[in-house]
């Protein structure tokens, strides 16, 4: 290991790059970042922009971009939440039997969001048939937030 007078550190090289604070050089070894589960990663506080970890839950290298975890496996890191408060849902619009739904939504609050992404979802109604609740893909906020389903179709009753 070599530390230069201007603070550059070289491992495996006697002349670390002057544009790098840390220069790792090897012909037969790699760089191994900290390995954490998603829960361990999410417990890091504060998270400075540029923080890098290897997520052992989803087997992907991830970095914090000051707003969300970004995965090298494509897109942002998988989203997680702690609690979904279905009884706290707020609904807009009115559903009338036999009439097509228009402008009808249901917003469901959550807590413990990690800022990661979630996929879309479509759920068909049961009991009163003919409706579909659709959640578009997006990202959870960090902490508290809500997901909004758009209700389409014509209710049977």
């Amino acid at each position: 290991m070599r530390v230069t007078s201007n603070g550059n550190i070289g491992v495996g090289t006697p002349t670390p790059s002057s544009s790098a604070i840390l220069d790792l050089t090897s012909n037969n070894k790699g760089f191994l970042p900290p390995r954490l589960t998603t829960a361990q990663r999410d417990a890091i506080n504060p998270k400075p922009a540029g923080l890098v970890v290897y997520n052992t839950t989803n087997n992907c290298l991830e970095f914090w971009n000051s707003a969300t975890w970004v995965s090298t496996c494509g897109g942002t890191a998988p989203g997680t939440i702690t609690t979904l408060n279905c009884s706290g849902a707020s609904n807009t619009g009115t559903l009338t039997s036999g009439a097509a739904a228009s402008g009808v939504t249901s917003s469901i609050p959550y807590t413990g969001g990690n800022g990661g992404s979630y996929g879309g979802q479509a759920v068909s109604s049961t009991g009163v048939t003919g409706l579909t609740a659709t959640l578009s893909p997006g990202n959870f906020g960090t902490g508290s937030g809500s997901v909004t389903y758009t209700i389409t179709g014509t209710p049977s009753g």
Side-chain angles (χ1 to χ4, degrees), residues 40-59:
Q40 292 168 324
R41 178 205 68 190
D42 292 346
I44 298 171
N45 190 22
K47 294 182 276 289
L51 185 67
V52 176
V53 301
Y54 182 83
N55 186 323
T56 59
T57 302
N58 59 21
N59 295 316

Side-chain angles (χ1 to χ4, degrees), residues 37-127:
T37 65
T38 298
Q40 292 168 324
R41 178 205 68 190
D42 292 346
I44 298 171
N45 190 22
K47 294 182 276 289
L51 185 67
V52 176
V53 301
Y54 182 83
N55 186 323
T56 59
T57 302
N58 59 21
N59 295 316
C60 289
L61 190 66
E62 298 172 349
F63 68 91
W64 182 254
N65 72 359
S66 79
T68 190
W69 287 103
V70 178
S71 173
T72 60
C73 293
T76 57
T80 60
I81 58 174
T82 304
T83 304
L84 187 63
N85 181 6
C86 294
S87 64
S90 60
N91 303 303
T92 61
T94 303
L95 293 171
T96 304
S97 177
S102 178
V104 180
T105 63
S106 183
S107 183
I108 305 169
Y110 63 80
T111 59
N114 71 342
S117 64
Y118 58 84
Q121 179 182 41
V123 181
S124 297
S125 61
T126 58

